[in-house]
Amino acid sequence: MISSKEEYYYYLKEDMKSHNIKKWKFKYKYTIPNLYFQRLLRKCEYYKNCRKDFFGRIAFLFLQFRFLKVSVKLGLTIPLNVFGPGLSIAHYGSIVVNGKSSVGKNCRIHSATNIGEGKNGCPRIGNNVYISPGAKIFGGIIIGDNVKIGANAVVNADVPDDVSVGGIPAKVISRRKKIM
């Protein structure tokens, strides 16, 4: 969660790095709309969390309106303060995330993905997680670090670190060997 201006810039830098872009250019607003969405997301998070003054609240309301407009246009339902730095939205369209979920740093998420609430709560997803197109993740589960979730997988149970999962319901397909 962004709690200072320095963190805001750090999040922006990491998000850009996840898209292999070194410097923001105005044309990206139209050529890479999912990255523009991410910049608005981060700006809204900064104003909501850090700017409690009168002008900060007015700016937040304006930004929130723009953010929601772009969100509807791209088909992305991603609430504030869910994703850590290094978020990479590979393709826009039909990504739905519950606001009570939490996702660590360096997450790459594809279209037609759903991260939702189940009986036991919302998922907590670790760092360096790759979520393939069509994946469904729900329930009060914990997904470890360095996990790859296969296309159209339905994840409704805890997933350990350093594995790839797939299927309905998702099962471990392979394990990564740790290099010492």
Side-chain angles (χ1 to χ4, degrees), residues 46-171:
Y46 167 71
Y47 275 90
K48 180 180 183 181
N49 300 338
C50 302
R51 294 289 307 269
K52 303 292 185 185
D53 59 315
F54 177 75
F55 293 111
R57 290 180 184 173
I58 297 297
F60 172 69
L61 291 174
F62 173 73
L63 285 168
Q64 190 176 29
F65 176 75
R66 271 185 30 208
F67 174 72
L68 291 173
K69 192 174 175 183
V70 172
S71 179
V72 169
K73 180 180 176 186
L74 299 179
L76 302 171
T77 307
I78 298 176
L80 305 179
N81 299 318
V82 172
F83 286 91
L87 171 63
S88 175
I89 300 172
H91 306 284
Y92 55 88
S94 187
I95 296 176
V96 179
V97 179
N98 188 298
K100 297 175 191 170
S101 303
S102 66
V103 182
K105 61 182 181 178
N106 301 323
C107 176
R108 183 162 176 91
I109 188 168
H110 285 267
S111 62
T113 303
N114 188 329
I115 301 173
E117 188 170 6
K119 292 179 188 175
N120 307 330
C122 289
R124 290 188 322 211
I125 300 173
N127 300 325
N128 306 314
V129 175
Y130 178 85
I131 304 172
S132 296
K136 311 296 182 263
I137 305 166
F138 61 91
I141 62 173
I142 297 173
I143 295 177
D145 296 338
N146 307 312
V147 171
K148 293 181 181 178
I149 299 172
N152 297 318
V154 176
V155 184
N156 59 359
D158 290 350
V159 176
D161 293 346
D162 303 310
V163 298
S164 296
V165 296
I168 303 172
K171 293 184 177 26

Side-chain angles (χ1 to χ4, degrees), residues 4-55:
S4 68
K5 195 162 200 164
E6 291 77 28
E7 276 190 32
Y8 167 63
Y9 289 128
Y10 171 72
Y11 273 59
L12 287 176
K13 186 179 112 198
E14 291 298 311
D15 288 352
M16 296 281 284
K17 194 188 308 181
S18 71
H19 285 274
N20 294 321
I21 295 174
K22 291 188 186 307
K23 187 176 179 194
W24 175 256
K25 295 179 183 172
F26 182 74
K27 70 178 183 177
Y28 294 154
K29 178 178 179 180
Y30 302 103
T31 58
I32 311 173
N34 46 339
L35 184 58
Y36 174 65
F37 170 84
Q38 285 181 226
R39 290 180 68 84
L40 275 176
L41 173 77
R42 299 308 187 187
K43 199 167 198 175
C44 284
E45 289 175 348
Y46 167 71
Y47 275 90
K48 180 180 183 181
N49 300 338
C50 302
R51 294 289 307 269
K52 303 292 185 185
D53 59 315
F54 177 75
F55 293 111

